[in-house]
Amino acid sequence: MSIRNLSPLSDAKSVAVIGGSARPHSLGAIVLDNIVRGGFNGTIYAVNPHRFDQPGVGWCATIADLPEVPDLAVVATPAESVPGIIEQLGEKGTRCAIVLSAGLNQANGLKQAMLDAARSHCLRIVGPNCLGFVAPRLKLNATFARTKASEGGLALLSQSGALVTAVLDWAQARSIGFSAVASVGDMADVDLGDLIDLYATDPATKAILLYVEGVTNTAKFMSAAAAAARIKPVIAIKAGKSAAAAKATMSHTGALAGSYDVYRAALKRAGIVLVETLTELFDAAEILCLAAEPRGGRLGIVTNGGGAGILAVDSLQGAGAILAPLRAETLGALDGVLPSTWSHANPVDVIGDAPPDRYREAVSALLRDETVDGLIVMNCPTGQNEASAIAEAVCEVVAIARGARIDKPVLGCWLGDSNAAAVETLLLDAGIPVYTTPDDAVRAFGYLLASREARLALTDRPVETRERSFDTTEAKRIVAAARADKRETLNQMEAQALLAAYGIAVVPTRFAAAVETVEDACGWLKPPFAVKISSPDIVHKSEAGGVVLGLHDRKAAAAAACAMETHIRSVHPEARIDGYIVEEMVVRHNAREMIAGIATDPTFGPILLVGTGGTAVEIIADKAIALPPLDHAQALALISETRMSKLLDAYRNVPAAKREAVADVLDALSAMTVDFPDIVELDINPLLVDPDGAVALDARVRITAQAPAGSNLVIRPAPMEWASSLVTQSGLAFYVRPVRGDDEPLLAAFFEHVSPEDLRFRFLSTVAHVEHARLAAMTRVDYRRTITFLAFDAARENVIATAMLAADPDRTRAEVALATRADMKGRGVSWTLLEYVLRYAKAEGIGSVEAIECADHEAALRMEREMGFATVTDPDDPTVRIVRRALAPADAA
């Protein structure tokens, strides 16, 4: 489930507190009192077998006695009573409940009993073991916290009730308001993904804040977060950074959390800005509520203290900002209004004695400068001018600029606590956050940039898909053979063969089953040789003395194998020795040692890793992590995140290594995670990289004991199994496939051949040109809830039609939109393509498909009627028709 039946969290008109009480200090009394004192707009009921009277509250002895079905129930009773209460609420007709009670878990069976009781009634549960829920717009405070929340634009979703109380205290002191505050507790039903979906489309929510301990239903969470981050900032703090903290998190939430590095990679992939501390979370929340998103990272600085300006400049790199290069016209204008001793550059030093008018002129000039994306106005306290008078001047200029639609973020930095306190209210009322130090102000601007970059990474990052074919038949044979042998670890020969099947270069290798055959094995190879032990019981061969390098002839290789066997049997007598791997030594004088591989995280499933390799890989700990699948551009970007990346470039007498070859290896590993959920671990270490390419010297692969039932990826790859050749009733053949992220140029060219009228039908408005934002929405899809199909001509070069299918978060309903090239109309393309999309929707388990059509789009409405769609007039717009068709349950396929 997702947002189904969660609407009471936004529009409840009646609330029932089950266990509501007048007993002082009881949980039910505190919650009931908070709801009453908060001024809830609707009806309030308390359900308690013991009668009590409280103004504004209707008392009932039982749930069955309630005079109406409460939109929202708050359960504050002992754990053992909760399943029965949920059953009664479901029978009554309530569809959403907040369970504050603790002690419902898998061990005592109460958690499952509660869920079973709710399931038959589609009753949604927030909690259990939570602080409660606040909806300031409804004046609803259904928590046992003592601090109320003001109305505003932040949605706080937290797995910690204690953190909620801390945030409420912080927000109250800074006049920060909330659209919602939800303590999600144990997330037995409603989880972070559900609530992200709910508030992503809430117009009152400007930004979403997350306190994350562990994620459940990871695929849904990633999909919801990415959808939300496209339209508003999503900021998170992750608890459990250290190993000890992660252990504490598990005992607290009962959820198995993955490593912090994997969470960092996952949240980044989802477009979420990750902060490290509560202070950063608060600061990010404040700036995102007050300031506009910058167009870029070019920062202008106005200051009356040169030293303070320099300190701000020193902080720019850490925030991802740069100093704006002011235009000549701006510098000329400033020359005319500032003293001759001004800095004549950015930062603009208006000199220590600057009066309000001087600030006014400088701020106005920088706001008008197109090279300035954001502005920090700094004031060092002096005895010559009042800080408040300068603040008033700045507020006036900013108001004028915004009236002229110059909406750049403006931040104040009034140095010193008392200096800032004197102007804080004035600046905040004008939408200007104020800070007491230059680095705090610059860091805040960095949060705006981070939010912008996170959004653009979802919609504007470079995309490059390389079509490569792999020998999956051979790879399947290798995995099946190991599993048939009841092995979970591939031997060296199998591991190398698996890499080779995916186009990864490996060293020429032969296997010798005994010491006596090592010399013969060398006959197939060129010296010098490397000899390695082959044993299922020895993972790290070099540490066990199972690797000898630089053997110049066959006899040396055979002698090395003999000595190796003697040593291994002495040191590891329990180890089974299958034989010996004999390889050609790879001598590349300009090569760098890297590591690349696949690992499995308990929360996020398969992950890809790349970094510095060699025997000291754990000590150096230089790695970058990403969730698959990756395209080629993402692979290159991942490499750039490592410190090793700089060593791949040319330096001194060392030529540049072939970075593209490393990206090709990551492409292949990414494809493996799609094709083989069987792979638990895969290490290539070292991966030698030089100007000629990359070659895997050693590999280790571990697979699952049993064949997995399906994919374990949390990010869905393009379902290329749905690429197909189709034929219309008129005999026209065309090819259809799911869209890729780099198809935007193809799609743009297609829409240039769609008639203006058909563009209006497709986008329900007059569209002269289909801009990047629309194209990105059609091409940068997550395939879980949105997919676009492209239909190509017989040559597979030009797009002749498109169909976009967008499902709601519950995936019970989806909307389809088609467009066909002008010269292809009337040939059955739209009919055949829509039929294909309906087959896909049915296979995905989507219950119904609808289209929104202009009332005068007669051809589409006629076609859809013939295909079994029912047509109704949009109740909100008589010029629009909604056509809908229910689909039968998905076939087994």
Side-chain angles (χ1 to χ4, degrees), residues 463-491:
V463 181
E464 182 183 355
T465 304
R466 294 194 172 181
E467 294 188 10
R468 298 173 59 188
S469 58
F470 303 113
D471 191 349
T472 55
T473 301
E474 172 65 6
K476 289 177 182 177
R477 184 198 66 76
I478 294 166
V479 171
R483 188 169 282 131
D485 199 26
K486 301 187 184 305
R487 287 185 287 115
E488 294 180 30
T489 302
L490 304 190
N491 62 41

PDB file of all heavy atoms in Angstrom, residues 463-491:
ATOM      1  N   VAL A 463      23.342  11.572 -19.372  1.00  0.00           N
ATOM      2  CA  VAL A 463      22.931  10.171 -19.493  1.00  0.00           C
ATOM      3  C   VAL A 463      23.567   9.602 -20.750  1.00  0.00           C
ATOM      4  O   VAL A 463      23.528  10.220 -21.811  1.00  0.00           O
ATOM      5  CB  VAL A 463      21.396  10.030 -19.579  1.00  0.00           C
ATOM      6  CG1 VAL A 463      21.008   8.556 -19.681  1.00  0.00           C
ATOM      7  CG2 VAL A 463      20.723  10.660 -18.373  1.00  0.00           C
ATOM      8  N   GLU A 464      24.169   8.442 -20.607  1.00  0.00           N
ATOM      9  CA  GLU A 464      24.750   7.765 -21.767  1.00  0.00           C
ATOM     10  C   GLU A 464      24.546   6.275 -21.602  1.00  0.00           C
ATOM     11  O   GLU A 464      25.095   5.662 -20.685  1.00  0.00           O
ATOM     12  CB  GLU A 464      26.242   8.078 -21.899  1.00  0.00           C
ATOM     13  CG  GLU A 464      26.874   7.432 -23.116  1.00  0.00           C
ATOM     14  CD  GLU A 464      28.372   7.675 -23.202  1.00  0.00           C
ATOM     15  OE1 GLU A 464      28.905   8.432 -22.370  1.00  0.00           O
ATOM     16  OE2 GLU A 464      29.003   7.083 -24.096  1.00  0.00           O
ATOM     17  N   THR A 465      23.736   5.712 -22.482  1.00  0.00           N
ATOM     18  CA  THR A 465      23.492   4.272 -22.455  1.00  0.00           C
ATOM     19  C   THR A 465      24.261   3.620 -23.584  1.00  0.00           C
ATOM     20  O   THR A 465      24.142   4.029 -24.735  1.00  0.00           O
ATOM     21  CB  THR A 465      21.996   3.960 -22.613  1.00  0.00           C
ATOM     22  OG1 THR A 465      21.270   4.640 -21.588  1.00  0.00           O
ATOM     23  CG2 THR A 465      21.739   2.473 -22.512  1.00  0.00           C
ATOM     24  N   ARG A 466      25.063   2.640 -23.250  1.00  0.00           N
ATOM     25  CA  ARG A 466      25.811   1.904 -24.260  1.00  0.00           C
ATOM     26  C   ARG A 466      25.202   0.521 -24.430  1.00  0.00           C
ATOM     27  O   ARG A 466      25.125  -0.252 -23.475  1.00  0.00           O
ATOM     28  CB  ARG A 466      27.287   1.798 -23.864  1.00  0.00           C
ATOM     29  CG  ARG A 466      27.979   3.153 -23.849  1.00  0.00           C
ATOM     30  CD  ARG A 466      29.483   2.997 -23.790  1.00  0.00           C
ATOM     31  NE  ARG A 466      30.141   4.283 -23.964  1.00  0.00           N
ATOM     32  CZ  ARG A 466      31.453   4.448 -23.978  1.00  0.00           C
ATOM     33  NH1 ARG A 466      32.249   3.401 -23.814  1.00  0.00           N
ATOM     34  NH2 ARG A 466      31.981   5.635 -24.138  1.00  0.00           N
ATOM     35  N   GLU A 467      24.766   0.249 -25.638  1.00  0.00           N
ATOM     36  CA  GLU A 467      24.167  -1.050 -25.904  1.00  0.00           C
ATOM     37  C   GLU A 467      25.281  -2.069 -26.102  1.00  0.00           C
ATOM     38  O   GLU A 467      26.075  -1.978 -27.035  1.00  0.00           O
ATOM     39  CB  GLU A 467      23.271  -0.969 -27.137  1.00  0.00           C
ATOM     40  CG  GLU A 467      22.051  -0.080 -26.942  1.00  0.00           C
ATOM     41  CD  GLU A 467      21.086  -0.172 -28.110  1.00  0.00           C
ATOM     42  OE1 GLU A 467      21.290  -1.058 -28.966  1.00  0.00           O
ATOM     43  OE2 GLU A 467      20.155   0.637 -28.162  1.00  0.00           O
ATOM     44  N   ARG A 468      25.347  -3.021 -25.194  1.00  0.00           N
ATOM     45  CA  ARG A 468      26.359  -4.065 -25.263  1.00  0.00           C
ATOM     46  C   ARG A 468      25.682  -5.417 -25.094  1.00  0.00           C
ATOM     47  O   ARG A 468      24.701  -5.552 -24.360  1.00  0.00           O
ATOM     48  CB  ARG A 468      27.421  -3.873 -24.169  1.00  0.00           C
ATOM     49  CG  ARG A 468      28.195  -2.581 -24.280  1.00  0.00           C
ATOM     50  CD  ARG A 468      29.101  -2.383 -23.078  1.00  0.00           C
ATOM     51  NE  ARG A 468      30.059  -3.465 -22.918  1.00  0.00           N
ATOM     52  CZ  ARG A 468      30.856  -3.608 -21.855  1.00  0.00           C
ATOM     53  NH1 ARG A 468      30.782  -2.741 -20.859  1.00  0.00           N
ATOM     54  NH2 ARG A 468      31.715  -4.607 -21.785  1.00  0.00           N
ATOM     55  N   SER A 469      26.200  -6.389 -25.796  1.00  0.00           N
ATOM     56  CA  SER A 469      25.645  -7.736 -25.666  1.00  0.00           C
ATOM     57  C   SER A 469      26.608  -8.590 -24.854  1.00  0.00           C
ATOM     58  O   SER A 469      27.831  -8.507 -25.024  1.00  0.00           O
ATOM     59  CB  SER A 469      25.423  -8.363 -27.050  1.00  0.00           C
ATOM     60  OG  SER A 469      26.640  -8.410 -27.771  1.00  0.00           O
ATOM     61  N   PHE A 470      26.058  -9.369 -23.970  1.00  0.00           N
ATOM     62  CA  PHE A 470      26.856 -10.226 -23.110  1.00  0.00           C
ATOM     63  C   PHE A 470      26.450 -11.682 -23.336  1.00  0.00           C
ATOM     64  O   PHE A 470      25.335 -11.971 -23.781  1.00  0.00           O
ATOM     65  CB  PHE A 470      26.653  -9.847 -21.647  1.00  0.00           C
ATOM     66  CG  PHE A 470      26.972  -8.411 -21.336  1.00  0.00           C
ATOM     67  CD1 PHE A 470      25.966  -7.527 -20.962  1.00  0.00           C
ATOM     68  CD2 PHE A 470      28.263  -7.945 -21.424  1.00  0.00           C
ATOM     69  CE1 PHE A 470      26.261  -6.206 -20.675  1.00  0.00           C
ATOM     70  CE2 PHE A 470      28.563  -6.621 -21.138  1.00  0.00           C
ATOM     71  CZ  PHE A 470      27.561  -5.743 -20.765  1.00  0.00           C
ATOM     72  N   ASP A 471      27.350 -12.579 -23.018  1.00  0.00           N
ATOM     73  CA  ASP A 471      27.088 -14.012 -23.184  1.00  0.00           C
ATOM     74  C   ASP A 471      26.400 -14.538 -21.917  1.00  0.00           C
ATOM     75  O   ASP A 471      27.009 -15.209 -21.082  1.00  0.00           O
ATOM     76  CB  ASP A 471      28.399 -14.753 -23.448  1.00  0.00           C
ATOM     77  CG  ASP A 471      28.172 -16.195 -23.899  1.00  0.00           C
ATOM     78  OD1 ASP A 471      27.019 -16.673 -23.803  1.00  0.00           O
ATOM     79  OD2 ASP A 471      29.151 -16.841 -24.315  1.00  0.00           O
ATOM     80  N   THR A 472      25.124 -14.195 -21.791  1.00  0.00           N
ATOM     81  CA  THR A 472      24.395 -14.599 -20.589  1.00  0.00           C
ATOM     82  C   THR A 472      24.187 -16.109 -20.536  1.00  0.00           C
ATOM     83  O   THR A 472      24.068 -16.681 -19.442  1.00  0.00           O
ATOM     84  CB  THR A 472      23.037 -13.886 -20.528  1.00  0.00           C
ATOM     85  OG1 THR A 472      22.318 -14.130 -21.741  1.00  0.00           O
ATOM     86  CG2 THR A 472      23.218 -12.381 -20.365  1.00  0.00           C
ATOM     87  N   THR A 473      24.172 -16.756 -21.705  1.00  0.00           N
ATOM     88  CA  THR A 473      24.024 -18.214 -21.717  1.00  0.00           C
ATOM     89  C   THR A 473      25.203 -18.884 -21.028  1.00  0.00           C
ATOM     90  O   THR A 473      25.034 -19.785 -20.189  1.00  0.00           O
ATOM     91  CB  THR A 473      23.902 -18.726 -23.159  1.00  0.00           C
ATOM     92  OG1 THR A 473      22.767 -18.123 -23.778  1.00  0.00           O
ATOM     93  CG2 THR A 473      23.749 -20.241 -23.186  1.00  0.00           C
ATOM     94  N   GLU A 474      26.423 -18.437 -21.353  1.00  0.00           N
ATOM     95  CA  GLU A 474      27.602 -18.985 -20.706  1.00  0.00           C
ATOM     96  C   GLU A 474      27.620 -18.642 -19.219  1.00  0.00           C
ATOM     97  O   GLU A 474      27.972 -19.484 -18.376  1.00  0.00           O
ATOM     98  CB  GLU A 474      28.864 -18.447 -21.396  1.00  0.00           C
ATOM     99  CG  GLU A 474      30.172 -18.774 -20.705  1.00  0.00           C
ATOM    100  CD  GLU A 474      30.499 -20.264 -20.672  1.00  0.00           C
ATOM    101  OE1 GLU A 474      29.759 -21.070 -21.280  1.00  0.00           O
ATOM    102  OE2 GLU A 474      31.500 -20.637 -20.026  1.00  0.00           O
ATOM    103  N   ALA A 475      27.220 -17.426 -18.886  1.00  0.00           N
ATOM    104  CA  ALA A 475      27.203 -17.017 -17.481  1.00  0.00           C
ATOM    105  C   ALA A 475      26.227 -17.877 -16.681  1.00  0.00           C
ATOM    106  O   ALA A 475      26.528 -18.306 -15.551  1.00  0.00           O
ATOM    107  CB  ALA A 475      26.840 -15.544 -17.374  1.00  0.00           C
ATOM    108  N   LYS A 476      25.070 -18.142 -17.246  1.00  0.00           N
ATOM    109  CA  LYS A 476      24.091 -18.989 -16.567  1.00  0.00           C
ATOM    110  C   LYS A 476      24.629 -20.400 -16.376  1.00  0.00           C
ATOM    111  O   LYS A 476      24.396 -21.043 -15.340  1.00  0.00           O
ATOM    112  CB  LYS A 476      22.783 -19.024 -17.357  1.00  0.00           C
ATOM    113  CG  LYS A 476      22.006 -17.725 -17.311  1.00  0.00           C
ATOM    114  CD  LYS A 476      20.752 -17.817 -18.189  1.00  0.00           C
ATOM    115  CE  LYS A 476      19.993 -16.489 -18.169  1.00  0.00           C
ATOM    116  NZ  LYS A 476      18.799 -16.520 -19.059  1.00  0.00           N
ATOM    117  N   ARG A 477      25.353 -20.896 -17.385  1.00  0.00           N
ATOM    118  CA  ARG A 477      25.925 -22.241 -17.277  1.00  0.00           C
ATOM    119  C   ARG A 477      26.926 -22.309 -16.125  1.00  0.00           C
ATOM    120  O   ARG A 477      26.939 -23.276 -15.358  1.00  0.00           O
ATOM    121  CB  ARG A 477      26.615 -22.607 -18.599  1.00  0.00           C
ATOM    122  CG  ARG A 477      27.153 -24.041 -18.619  1.00  0.00           C
ATOM    123  CD  ARG A 477      28.182 -24.229 -19.710  1.00  0.00           C
ATOM    124  NE  ARG A 477      29.385 -23.444 -19.466  1.00  0.00           N
ATOM    125  CZ  ARG A 477      30.327 -23.759 -18.583  1.00  0.00           C
ATOM    126  NH1 ARG A 477      30.190 -24.837 -17.817  1.00  0.00           N
ATOM    127  NH2 ARG A 477      31.386 -22.997 -18.429  1.00  0.00           N
ATOM    128  N   ILE A 478      27.745 -21.261 -15.993  1.00  0.00           N
ATOM    129  CA  ILE A 478      28.755 -21.231 -14.936  1.00  0.00           C
ATOM    130  C   ILE A 478      28.099 -21.246 -13.563  1.00  0.00           C
ATOM    131  O   ILE A 478      28.479 -22.020 -12.671  1.00  0.00           O
ATOM    132  CB  ILE A 478      29.655 -19.989 -15.099  1.00  0.00           C
ATOM    133  CG1 ILE A 478      30.476 -20.101 -16.388  1.00  0.00           C
ATOM    134  CG2 ILE A 478      30.562 -19.801 -13.891  1.00  0.00           C
ATOM    135  CD1 ILE A 478      31.137 -18.796 -16.793  1.00  0.00           C
ATOM    136  N   VAL A 479      27.095 -20.411 -13.379  1.00  0.00           N
ATOM    137  CA  VAL A 479      26.409 -20.330 -12.091  1.00  0.00           C
ATOM    138  C   VAL A 479      25.676 -21.625 -11.789  1.00  0.00           C
ATOM    139  O   VAL A 479      25.715 -22.143 -10.663  1.00  0.00           O
ATOM    140  CB  VAL A 479      25.443 -19.121 -12.080  1.00  0.00           C
ATOM    141  CG1 VAL A 479      24.558 -19.152 -10.835  1.00  0.00           C
ATOM    142  CG2 VAL A 479      26.213 -17.813 -12.160  1.00  0.00           C
ATOM    143  N   ALA A 480      25.023 -22.176 -12.801  1.00  0.00           N
ATOM    144  CA  ALA A 480      24.273 -23.421 -12.597  1.00  0.00           C
ATOM    145  C   ALA A 480      25.205 -24.570 -12.236  1.00  0.00           C
ATOM    146  O   ALA A 480      24.868 -25.413 -11.389  1.00  0.00           O
ATOM    147  CB  ALA A 480      23.477 -23.751 -13.859  1.00  0.00           C
ATOM    148  N   ALA A 481      26.384 -24.603 -12.854  1.00  0.00           N
ATOM    149  CA  ALA A 481      27.328 -25.687 -12.567  1.00  0.00           C
ATOM    150  C   ALA A 481      27.808 -25.620 -11.129  1.00  0.00           C
ATOM    151  O   ALA A 481      27.917 -26.651 -10.443  1.00  0.00           O
ATOM    152  CB  ALA A 481      28.509 -25.601 -13.534  1.00  0.00           C
ATOM    153  N   ALA A 482      28.112 -24.419 -10.649  1.00  0.00           N
ATOM    154  CA  ALA A 482      28.553 -24.272  -9.262  1.00  0.00           C
ATOM    155  C   ALA A 482      27.447 -24.671  -8.293  1.00  0.00           C
ATOM    156  O   ALA A 482      27.692 -25.359  -7.289  1.00  0.00           O
ATOM    157  CB  ALA A 482      28.989 -22.830  -9.013  1.00  0.00           C
ATOM    158  N   ARG A 483      26.222 -24.262  -8.622  1.00  0.00           N
ATOM    159  CA  ARG A 483      25.110 -24.576  -7.722  1.00  0.00           C
ATOM    160  C   ARG A 483      24.822 -26.077  -7.735  1.00  0.00           C
ATOM    161  O   ARG A 483      24.489 -26.669  -6.693  1.00  0.00           O
ATOM    162  CB  ARG A 483      23.878 -23.769  -8.137  1.00  0.00           C
ATOM    163  CG  ARG A 483      22.746 -23.878  -7.146  1.00  0.00           C
ATOM    164  CD  ARG A 483      21.652 -22.883  -7.434  1.00  0.00           C
ATOM    165  NE  ARG A 483      21.996 -21.544  -6.991  1.00  0.00           N
ATOM    166  CZ  ARG A 483      21.882 -20.435  -7.734  1.00  0.00           C
ATOM    167  NH1 ARG A 483      21.435 -20.527  -8.963  1.00  0.00           N
ATOM    168  NH2 ARG A 483      22.226 -19.262  -7.238  1.00  0.00           N
ATOM    169  N   ALA A 484      24.957 -26.701  -8.914  1.00  0.00           N
ATOM    170  CA  ALA A 484      24.745 -28.149  -8.991  1.00  0.00           C
ATOM    171  C   ALA A 484      25.791 -28.895  -8.176  1.00  0.00           C
ATOM    172  O   ALA A 484      25.533 -29.988  -7.644  1.00  0.00           O
ATOM    173  CB  ALA A 484      24.800 -28.602 -10.448  1.00  0.00           C
ATOM    174  N   ASP A 485      26.969 -28.276  -8.030  1.00  0.00           N
ATOM    175  CA  ASP A 485      28.048 -28.865  -7.237  1.00  0.00           C
ATOM    176  C   ASP A 485      27.922 -28.485  -5.768  1.00  0.00           C
ATOM    177  O   ASP A 485      28.844 -28.746  -4.976  1.00  0.00           O
ATOM    178  CB  ASP A 485      29.392 -28.381  -7.800  1.00  0.00           C
ATOM    179  CG  ASP A 485      30.555 -29.265  -7.382  1.00  0.00           C
ATOM    180  OD1 ASP A 485      30.317 -30.462  -7.107  1.00  0.00           O
ATOM    181  OD2 ASP A 485      31.686 -28.757  -7.318  1.00  0.00           O
ATOM    182  N   LYS A 486      26.790 -27.815  -5.440  1.00  0.00           N
ATOM    183  CA  LYS A 486      26.503 -27.367  -4.073  1.00  0.00           C
ATOM    184  C   LYS A 486      27.582 -26.439  -3.529  1.00  0.00           C
ATOM    185  O   LYS A 486      27.945 -26.476  -2.353  1.00  0.00           O
ATOM    186  CB  LYS A 486      26.303 -28.574  -3.131  1.00  0.00           C
ATOM    187  CG  LYS A 486      25.173 -29.495  -3.550  1.00  0.00           C
ATOM    188  CD  LYS A 486      24.896 -30.561  -2.514  1.00  0.00           C
ATOM    189  CE  LYS A 486      23.825 -31.533  -2.986  1.00  0.00           C
ATOM    190  NZ  LYS A 486      22.571 -30.876  -3.378  1.00  0.00           N
ATOM    191  N   ARG A 487      28.090 -25.585  -4.432  1.00  0.00           N
ATOM    192  CA  ARG A 487      29.071 -24.582  -4.029  1.00  0.00           C
ATOM    193  C   ARG A 487      28.468 -23.191  -4.119  1.00  0.00           C
ATOM    194  O   ARG A 487      27.709 -22.896  -5.041  1.00  0.00           O
ATOM    195  CB  ARG A 487      30.305 -24.629  -4.952  1.00  0.00           C
ATOM    196  CG  ARG A 487      31.188 -25.830  -4.721  1.00  0.00           C
ATOM    197  CD  ARG A 487      32.451 -25.766  -5.576  1.00  0.00           C
ATOM    198  NE  ARG A 487      32.162 -26.025  -6.976  1.00  0.00           N
ATOM    199  CZ  ARG A 487      32.305 -25.125  -7.951  1.00  0.00           C
ATOM    200  NH1 ARG A 487      32.722 -23.896  -7.672  1.00  0.00           N
ATOM    201  NH2 ARG A 487      32.036 -25.443  -9.201  1.00  0.00           N
ATOM    202  N   GLU A 488      28.809 -22.351  -3.136  1.00  0.00           N
ATOM    203  CA  GLU A 488      28.372 -20.955  -3.165  1.00  0.00           C
ATOM    204  C   GLU A 488      29.493 -20.014  -3.589  1.00  0.00           C
ATOM    205  O   GLU A 488      29.281 -18.814  -3.703  1.00  0.00           O
ATOM    206  CB  GLU A 488      27.855 -20.547  -1.777  1.00  0.00           C
ATOM    207  CG  GLU A 488      26.599 -21.290  -1.362  1.00  0.00           C
ATOM    208  CD  GLU A 488      26.108 -20.875   0.005  1.00  0.00           C
ATOM    209  OE1 GLU A 488      26.316 -19.712   0.396  1.00  0.00           O
ATOM    210  OE2 GLU A 488      25.510 -21.732   0.697  1.00  0.00           O
ATOM    211  N   THR A 489      30.690 -20.583  -3.798  1.00  0.00           N
ATOM    212  CA  THR A 489      31.824 -19.781  -4.254  1.00  0.00           C
ATOM    213  C   THR A 489      32.327 -20.342  -5.573  1.00  0.00           C
ATOM    214  O   THR A 489      32.598 -21.549  -5.675  1.00  0.00           O
ATOM    215  CB  THR A 489      32.968 -19.796  -3.222  1.00  0.00           C
ATOM    216  OG1 THR A 489      32.482 -19.309  -1.979  1.00  0.00           O
ATOM    217  CG2 THR A 489      34.118 -18.907  -3.678  1.00  0.00           C
ATOM    218  N   LEU A 490      32.444 -19.495  -6.579  1.00  0.00           N
ATOM    219  CA  LEU A 490      33.009 -19.935  -7.847  1.00  0.00           C
ATOM    220  C   LEU A 490      34.517 -20.094  -7.690  1.00  0.00           C
ATOM    221  O   LEU A 490      35.169 -19.314  -6.988  1.00  0.00           O
ATOM    222  CB  LEU A 490      32.729 -18.913  -8.958  1.00  0.00           C
ATOM    223  CG  LEU A 490      31.271 -18.514  -9.231  1.00  0.00           C
ATOM    224  CD1 LEU A 490      31.198 -17.681 -10.519  1.00  0.00           C
ATOM    225  CD2 LEU A 490      30.369 -19.728  -9.342  1.00  0.00           C
ATOM    226  N   ASN A 491      35.068 -21.105  -8.352  1.00  0.00           N
ATOM    227  CA  ASN A 491      36.520 -21.197  -8.340  1.00  0.00           C
ATOM    228  C   ASN A 491      37.116 -20.147  -9.280  1.00  0.00           C
ATOM    229  O   ASN A 491      36.399 -19.452  -9.997  1.00  0.00           O
ATOM    230  CB  ASN A 491      36.989 -22.616  -8.681  1.00  0.00           C
ATOM    231  CG  ASN A 491      36.561 -23.035 -10.090  1.00  0.00           C
ATOM    232  OD1 ASN A 491      36.630 -22.248 -11.042  1.00  0.00           O
ATOM    233  ND2 ASN A 491      36.132 -24.291 -10.214  1.00  0.00           N
TER     234      ASN A 491
END
